[in-house]
Amino acid sequence: DTHSAGHAVEFLLCGAGGGKHKSFYCSSLYQIDRHRVLVTSEVDGSNGKHEVVEIKSSTKCKGIDMLDKKAALQAACNGSAQVWCCHMNREQTALASLECISTAAVLERHRAAFIYQGQRIRYMLTQILGQLLPDDAVPSGGADGKPVVGPVFRLSFGSGKEPIIEPALATVEV
């Protein structure tokens, strides 16, 4: 819903004028065991230093207290340098306060959960790819020691947040 109070704050802070919804994306490449994973995610905007920022809003919590472990993982995966915590009035019609928190501080606060999520991602990735690929479909490395790219898959999520895994377009390379 692009008409929510949270989106209104994004529009206000990131300069999306005229009621037009602008989307920003960031891609990051991760190495998880022998797999290279390209993560492309929608981000909220950027600061004056052209760093990616994540914007969160709440009427109940202020500052870092509004950031849960999901927000920490999101900020880490999309490459955000900061999370902007926007406290809104009860009616969600005005921005009461804004606090800029470094992603490093958010990750430190949720370190145990972040480690658990990383272990879970590592395990689930191996399980999912084990179901999709035969054992010899993902080579561990070439004769020159450089990684060899195996099949490329696209992971997205349906309207019920269920994962959808499908082969990527033939033109996509990681």
Side-chain angles (χ1 to χ4, degrees):
D1 176 18
T2 59
H3 299 291
S4 71
H7 283 99
V9 170
E10 290 176 23
F11 295 152
L12 173 69
L13 297 176
C14 296
K20 295 179 183 175
H21 178 71
K22 292 183 179 180
S23 293
F24 302 94
Y25 297 90
C26 182
S27 295
S28 304
L29 188 62
Y30 297 99
Q31 182 77 36
I32 302 174
D33 290 332
R34 61 184 182 150
H35 307 288
R36 286 190 299 168
V37 180
L38 176 67
V39 176
T40 300
S41 55
E42 187 172 18
V43 296
D44 295 331
S46 64
N47 62 18
K49 297 177 186 175
H50 303 287
E51 299 170 319
V52 174
V53 297
E54 186 64 35
I55 300 172
K56 297 295 180 187
S57 61
S58 174
T59 59
K60 297 179 178 139
C61 300
K62 291 184 181 180
I64 201 165
D65 291 335
M66 73 174 63
L67 304 175
D68 60 11
K69 62 186 179 184
K70 284 178 66 177
L73 181 62
Q74 181 181 16
C77 287
N78 71 20
S80 294
Q82 296 176 322
V83 180
W84 291 358
C85 299
C86 303
H87 182 246
M88 311 229 359
N89 66 352
R90 187 180 328 154
E91 297 78 25
Q92 298 184 350
T93 57
L95 179 60
S97 65
L98 169 67
E99 187 175 341
C100 300
I101 301 171
S102 73
T103 297
V106 178
L107 294 177
E108 181 61 33
R109 180 174 181 144
H110 296 285
R111 180 191 300 225
F114 192 67
I115 291 170
Y116 169 76
Q117 290 170 336
Q119 292 170 337
R120 186 165 183 234
I121 289 167
R122 186 177 179 189
Y123 172 77
M124 293 304 296
L125 180 64
T126 302
Q127 295 302 310
I128 291 167
L129 292 178
Q131 295 295 316
L132 296 173
L133 303 170
D135 287 338
D136 59 353
V138 180
S140 59
D144 58 2
K146 292 182 180 177
V148 176
V149 176
V152 178
F153 291 92
R154 178 177 184 257
L155 170 65
S156 58
F157 296 92
S159 59
K161 305 251 181 195
E162 72 279 4
I164 300 169
I165 302 170
E166 55 194 355
L169 298 173
T171 57
V172 174
E173 294 181 12
V174 177

